[in-house]
Amino acid sequence: MSQPSQTTLTFEEIIAPVTREEFFERYWNKAPLIISRGDRGYYGDLYRLQDVDRSIFGDSHCQDDHVSLIPPQGSDEEMTTHAPSDLAYDEMYRAFNKGYTIRFASIQSTWSPVARLSAAMCEAFSARVNVNCYLTPASSQGFKIHIDTHDVFILQTHGAKDWFVYETDDYALPLKTLDTHHTDIRNQYKSPLTDDEVKLKHRIRLEAGDLLFMPRGVPHKAIAAPGEASLHLTFGIHPLYWVEYAKAAMEMLAVHNRSFREPLPVDFVTNPEVAASMSAHFAEALKAAMAQNPSFERTTECMV
């Protein structure tokens, strides 16, 4: 059984030959980046096909639901999520032999080479980084066309996968919290999408050693190439956003502003007159809060 390697990759090596400066100028929050290297061993021993079994056995005691069985397109089955301690080894591979994609979530917490690269990415982006592993049978497709609400780096470590990347002008830089709570935004850019709703921009076959970066909001789907299983790692980048910074600033102000700590009127939902009166109160509270001059320095300390 294989052991985790001591391979340590840097963010700069992941995006090479693109430089760090070029990446943040041309691609971050702007456009997909595709790197075809022709070097199947480029990622070294980061996470190989033979490492899958070891990581499964290593997690066999884990109670967290971080193993997902994703049925192939055309199946009537639903995706299921399991704790490794509750999922029989042979059950998982029976599903794989039926075309299911197996997703292992947050493997940076259990596999040291991935943890080291994840830490390097955290430092490069000043962001939280989560890493999922996808093991897909040959010629199988897990998800329909969809968007992600966070940026992703896709590192192909075994086999090959065809990625279909589509154009989008509907809703740039989506946020999960906004998509969840605001119907107008959710309807403006619904996911999953269909082929007749989007225009294909790139079709790329990622071979082992290749990389694909996609900003959040870019529609895409992926199908494993024929012949052998595909294994790739998805590094999800979760930075702090300005909306979260503004929220933190308001929370700091609430410490010294009683009006922001008070509850809304208990009958504002059922009494239109009470709801109407809240508009003036809200405006006054905002004016009072802004008069306190929110501190950039104190908010920054709170966030980090």
Side-chain angles (χ1 to χ4, degrees):
M1 191 173 291
S2 61
Q3 298 292 324
S5 77
Q6 297 306 308
T7 299
T8 301
L9 293 167
T10 65
F11 168 61
E12 288 76 12
E13 289 173 325
I14 292 301
I15 61 173
V18 174
T19 65
R20 178 190 179 97
E21 293 73 18
E22 183 183 4
F23 174 80
F24 284 109
E25 180 180 348
R26 295 184 56 187
Y27 301 103
W28 178 241
N29 286 329
K30 297 181 181 71
L33 169 63
I34 303 157
I35 299 178
S36 299
R37 295 192 169 98
D39 182 357
R40 290 179 172 269
Y42 187 82
Y43 297 126
D45 296 335
L46 181 64
Y47 194 79
R48 304 162 297 178
L49 187 63
Q50 57 264 43
D51 294 329
V52 173
D53 285 349
R54 184 181 187 279
S55 62
I56 293 171
F57 280 116
D59 283 354
S60 59
H61 64 285
C62 182
Q63 301 296 318
D64 296 331
D65 291 345
H66 66 243
V67 179
S68 298
L69 303 181
I70 305 167
Q73 289 302 301
S75 171
D76 294 330
E77 301 295 326
E78 298 288 336
M79 182 178 76
T80 57
T81 304
H82 311 264
S85 58
D86 297 332
L87 183 63
Y89 183 79
D90 57 347
E91 178 185 352
M92 182 176 62
Y93 277 111
R94 277 199 300 270
F96 178 80
N97 289 332
K98 291 169 59 178
Y100 280 62
T101 292
I102 305 173
R103 177 177 64 190
F104 305 99
S106 303
I107 66 168
Q108 77 280 358
S109 62
T110 58
W111 196 253
S112 55
V114 175
R116 289 192 291 271
L117 178 54
S118 176
M121 301 281 273
C122 286
E123 182 177 355
F125 288 90
S126 298
R128 180 175 65 86
V129 175
N130 184 71
V131 188
N132 293 339
C133 168
Y134 292 82
L135 177 62
T136 305
S139 304
S140 188
Q141 175 186 350
F143 294 120
K144 297 179 180 179
I145 303 172
H146 65 283
I147 66 168
D148 293 317
T149 53
H150 57 276
D151 304 86
V152 295
F153 288 85
I154 296 151
L155 281 61
Q156 188 75 26
T157 63
H158 181 88
K161 207 163 199 179
D162 292 321
W163 289 83
F164 300 77
V165 181
Y166 301 88
E167 294 182 356
T168 176
D169 296 316
D170 291 324
Y171 184 60
L173 304 182
L175 290 176
K176 185 175 182 179
T177 52
L178 297 181
D179 183 64
T180 300
H181 298 295
H182 294 269
T183 304
D184 55 338
I185 292 176
R186 187 168 61 248
N187 290 341
Q188 184 178 6
Y189 204 165
K190 62 184 183 298
S191 179
L193 304 165
T194 60
D195 287 275
D196 58 355
E197 294 178 296
V198 285
K199 181 180 179 182
L200 184 65
K201 186 174 183 179
H202 301 289
R203 177 175 178 173
I204 317 109
R205 172 161 294 186
L206 288 190
E207 305 277 356
D210 294 346
L211 175 135
L212 171 63
F213 165 76
M214 276 188 298
R216 54 198 164 110
V218 175
H220 60 276
K221 70 177 181 181
I223 304 173
E228 62 178 334
S230 163
L231 183 69
H232 78 263
L233 303 178
T234 295
F235 284 70
I237 312 299
H238 301 267
L240 293 170
Y241 300 109
W242 279 110
V243 64
E244 296 166 327
Y245 197 93
K247 179 182 177 183
M250 294 302 293
E251 289 173 345
M252 295 290 291
L253 291 175
V255 174
H256 304 289
N257 190 318
R258 175 173 175 165
S259 62
F260 276 109
R261 303 199 307 272
E262 294 176 353
L264 299 181
V266 293
D267 52 352
F268 83 98
V269 174
T270 58
N271 190 326
E273 292 183 0
V274 172
S277 70
M278 291 171 58
S279 175
H281 180 84
F282 181 62
E284 291 173 3
L286 280 180
K287 184 178 179 180
M290 292 302 102
Q292 296 178 25
N293 191 20
S295 169
F296 175 80
E297 291 76 14
R298 290 188 62 194
T299 303
T300 301
E301 292 175 0
C302 173
M303 295 294 284
V304 300

